[in-house]
Each structure stands twice: as C-alpha cells, then as structure tokens.
Amino acid sequence: GLEAGTITSLIYGATLSNLITAFITAFCSMIFSYITSEISKHNYVIASNIANTSTKILMIIFMPVTITFITCAYDIVSIIYGYGVFDNNAVLSASFALKGYAVMFVPMVIREIFSRFQYAFKDTKRPMINGSIGIIGNVIFSIIFCNFLGVSGVALATSLSILISAVLNMISAKKKTSFLSLLQLKRFFVRFFLISVCAVIIMMCVYDNMLEINKLLRIIIVFAGCMLFYGIAFGKEIVIILKNMKNH
C-alpha cells in the first residue's frame, strides 16, 4: 500500500519532471511546424524523414537527462527541496517518485512527435483515443504497482502509460502515409536500448564512487558523462541526422 505523504512526494517529483517535459513539448511543437509545412505541400517523404530524424535526435538528447535524474534523484531533490521540515525521509520518498517519472522522458518524445504528425494530417481523434488508452493503462498500472513499489510504482505507472500512447501513436501515424518507415526506427530503438542499458550501469558505478564529493558536482559529472557517452556512441549518426535536418 501507499504510505502517508505519498501524494506530496508525487507532487514534488512531478514538479521536477515537468521542467523537462516542458522542454520536450516545446521542441516537438517547433518540429510540428516543419512537418505541417511539408505535408501541406504534399512532401510526405520529407515530412516522414523530419519525424524520424527528430525522434532520434531528441531521444539522444533526453536519455542522458533521464539517466541523470534516475541516478542522481536523491541529490536533485535534496538540493532543491531538502530544507526545513523537508527531512531525509521526505527527500527519499520524493526521489523515488522522481525516478519513476524520469522514465517518461524518452517515451514522451515519441508520443509527442507522432501525435503531432497526425495533427498535421488534421487527425486529432486518433491521438486522443491513444491518449485515453494510456490513461486507462495508468489507472491499472497504478493499482498493480502501488501495492509493491509504493510511490515509485505510481510514478512508474504514469511513465508506462505514456509509453503505451507512444507506441499507439507510432502505429496510427504509420497509417497516414506509407513513406513513414517504422522499420528504420525499430532498428535504432534496439541499438538505443542496448547502449542505454550500458550507460545506466556505467553511470551508477561512477556515482557509487563519488559519494564523498559535493552533490551538485556529482549531478554535473553524471550528466556530462552521459552526454559524452551518447556523443561517442551515436557520433556518426548525429552528424548524419543534423546534415539531413539542415537539408530539409
């Protein structure tokens, strides 16, 4: 079951995660204007390429943020909220919530881009249905997870519901035009997942060896390390993606 103060912890965790999701929404809104412009000119190939390349580059950008939030959740909450009556238990509880919410960042990139891809085709109904299915999933997952994961389970349920909506949006977006290749993205997703697992393991090991240094410095080192890791892992792909985006 849920302990006392769970709602407060979820609110604090959600507030911090909302700072990141606001950036994701802003980036996706800018991308939407480019997709809409190309679709209005019936340039479906270019519009599809913009959607795919934007998804890749934003995933590469926001995954280091996700790993940093998961690895350094306690430090982040402690620095921002850890004063006065907000004791160590409150920091710990809010950090668990933040870890659960941080999982949503990459799925939200996918959900937002492909929902906007459908908006560009003047279809608002299907993304709304996909979102509703995600909400139902959120309720079900929350009931299941809260029993054995507590506050982390409720936050994780929200992230999983966004993942469900993201997958559904990709599938329904594909139906809008045959030029949208999900096979290319699937290959990228597999590689991205494997690299991300390695990155999480490495950053957690790095973090465990920095417990004696300043909290803010730990956060900076982990984030910088993640950015460097993904920059090296996807260096060639980033250059190709940026060139393609520039050409469009």
Side-chain angles (χ1 to χ4, degrees):
L2 297 178
E3 299 177 354
T6 296
I7 300 301
T8 302
S9 298
L10 289 170
I11 291 172
Y12 282 122
T15 300
L16 292 175
S17 67
N18 285 344
L19 295 175
I20 305 302
T21 58
F23 281 105
I24 294 173
T25 302
F27 279 121
C28 292
S29 294
M30 288 189 292
I31 294 165
F32 172 63
S33 63
Y34 291 104
I35 293 175
T36 303
S37 175
E38 296 302 333
I39 288 177
S40 66
K41 293 182 268 187
H42 302 289
N43 292 331
Y44 300 130
V45 175
I46 296 177
S48 299
N49 286 338
I50 291 174
N52 282 346
T53 54
S54 299
T55 299
K56 291 178 182 178
I57 200 72
L58 289 181
M59 286 175 65
I60 293 170
I61 291 172
F62 284 101
M63 192 61 199
V65 179
T66 295
I67 294 174
T68 303
F69 269 52
I70 292 174
T71 305
C72 305
Y74 182 87
D75 294 336
I76 294 170
V77 174
S78 180
I79 290 172
I80 297 176
Y81 296 124
Y83 303 99
V85 296
F86 207 89
D87 60 15
N88 186 65
N89 288 333
V91 171
L92 194 61
S93 182
S95 68
F96 285 145
L98 182 57
K99 288 181 181 182
Y101 283 126
V103 178
M104 79 168 68
F105 298 154
V106 169
M108 189 172 186
V109 166
I110 301 169
R111 186 192 73 176
E112 293 300 304
I113 287 181
F114 288 101
S115 65
R116 282 162 172 74
F117 188 87
Q118 293 169 85
Y119 295 158
F121 280 93
K122 304 187 185 303
D123 182 0
T124 58
K125 182 179 179 181
R126 177 51 59 179
M128 183 181 69
I129 293 174
N130 294 340
S132 298
I133 295 172
I135 291 172
I136 295 172
N138 189 6
V139 174
I140 296 172
F141 288 139
S142 294
I143 294 172
I144 296 172
F145 291 162
C146 75
N147 289 324
F148 56 93
L149 292 177
V151 64
S152 297
V154 177
L156 184 60
T158 301
S159 296
L160 290 178
S161 71
I162 291 177
L163 177 61
I164 290 172
S165 297
V167 173
L168 292 175
N169 274 336
M170 287 179 63
I171 294 172
S172 54
K174 169 63 178 172
K175 296 177 181 178
K176 296 300 175 184
T177 172
S178 59
F179 295 110
L180 184 63
S181 175
L182 297 185
L183 179 60
Q184 182 187 22
L185 278 180
K186 287 177 183 177
R187 291 171 179 167
F188 175 81
F189 288 161
V190 171
R191 182 168 168 241
F192 184 86
F193 175 76
L194 294 176
I195 289 173
S196 296
V197 170
C198 293
V200 169
I201 294 172
I202 292 171
M203 287 304 116
M204 284 186 171
C205 291
V206 170
Y207 181 85
D208 287 341
N209 286 281
M210 297 191 300
L211 298 179
E212 300 301 321
I213 68 174
N214 180 271
K215 293 176 183 177
L216 181 59
L217 186 57
R218 284 201 296 258
I219 297 170
I220 293 172
I221 291 174
V222 169
F223 180 69
C226 285
M227 293 297 291
L228 179 62
F229 186 88
Y230 278 83
I232 294 172
F234 293 100
K236 292 182 179 179
E237 194 151 13
I238 291 172
V239 172
I240 294 172
I241 289 173
L242 292 177
K243 284 183 179 179
N244 289 338
M245 293 179 73
K246 185 178 180 180
N247 291 335
H248 297 322

